[in-house]
Amino acid sequence: MLELVDQFIQSGIGQALIIAAITAAAGRFFTPRGKVIWAVSHQHHYRMPNLNDGGFFPVVTQQVWFQNVGRSAIQDIEIVLNWKPQHFEIWDPRKWDGEPLSDGRWVIRVPSLNAKEFFTVSMIDTVTDLPAVLNVRCLGGAATNVRMGPQRVFPMWFNVGVAVFMFIGVVATLYWLLQFVIAALSPPRLDR
């Protein structure tokens, strides 16, 4: 079996196919594309005291976070909500528009989002619950819902140190993998 693989690699057609596959994979990996992710960063339910009659009324807040984690700008972002919230803001301030859909749902449209840029939609309601985010899509496809939570921010020297050790580990792994492949494909030694 290894002889067939070795003959294929040594043939002109095999080398051309390998080079074409590597070029296609590299082109796909290095071509800049945009990718939108979104998450609910927080949601709180409060029981606020009503000063007039001594009772309580509900206050519900939620913040939904959207980010382009790709390397290219995204166009025509649509955020579909169950219904229009009582009050919402988009931060940082940017151009947007909103309109109801034919089935009563509410859509927020943002014209573009540059690479590594993000914005939040903050909602508040004092009567009912807040609408759920049903769908987020853009010109390049559907956005991905991710989990979000608070995370410690480490100093830059620590992050650089971890990145250097990870790079050394990847290089060492590739080196040993290449040594294994070379040893497996090399002809056996005949010692006399």
Side-chain angles (χ1 to χ4, degrees):
M1 180 68 180
L2 285 177
E3 272 185 38
L4 289 174
V5 171
D6 190 39
Q7 288 176 356
F8 178 75
I9 291 173
Q10 298 297 330
S11 71
I13 293 174
Q15 291 175 357
L17 289 174
I18 291 171
I19 290 171
I22 290 172
T23 303
R28 178 147 173 85
F29 180 74
F30 290 113
T31 300
R33 284 187 298 276
K35 180 181 179 185
V36 176
I37 61 172
W38 66 278
V40 175
S41 64
H42 80 268
Q43 180 170 349
H44 298 293
H45 294 263
Y46 300 99
R47 288 182 53 199
M48 297 298 290
N50 190 341
L51 301 178
N52 295 335
D53 64 6
F56 294 93
F57 65 95
V59 174
V60 184
T61 64
Q62 183 181 61
Q63 187 173 44
V64 187
W65 170 82
F66 302 89
Q67 183 177 10
N68 180 358
V69 293
R71 295 181 293 162
S72 179
I74 292 289
Q75 305 297 320
D76 301 327
I77 301 161
E78 287 186 354
I79 304 160
V80 181
L81 304 174
N82 263 354
W83 60 83
K84 183 179 180 181
Q86 184 181 24
H87 177 75
F88 69 96
E89 290 183 358
I90 295 181
W91 192 262
D92 61 335
R94 63 183 54 245
K95 183 178 179 180
W96 63 274
D97 66 356
E99 64 180 342
L101 297 176
S102 59
D103 62 355
R105 312 254 191 245
W106 181 257
V107 63
I108 300 171
R109 289 188 176 88
V110 178
S112 66
L113 190 61
N114 290 326
K116 309 300 181 200
E117 191 177 26
F118 69 93
F119 66 92
T120 60
V121 176
S122 299
M123 298 180 270
I124 187 169
D125 199 313
T126 60
V127 179
T128 62
D129 205 7
L130 290 169
V133 177
L134 298 178
N135 192 12
V136 180
R137 62 179 171 264
C138 58
L139 198 58
T144 304
N145 184 2
V146 297
R147 292 184 56 164
M148 183 177 191
Q151 180 177 337
R152 178 178 172 187
V153 177
F154 290 97
M156 184 57 76
W157 64 266
F158 181 83
N159 293 338
V160 169
V162 169
V164 166
F165 281 117
M166 289 174 61
F167 179 73
I168 290 170
V170 167
V171 169
T173 302
L174 290 176
Y175 173 78
W176 290 112
L177 183 64
L178 185 61
Q179 290 297 318
F180 175 75
V181 169
I182 289 171
L185 293 179
S186 64
R189 293 181 59 191
L190 299 173
D191 293 332
R192 291 185 186 194

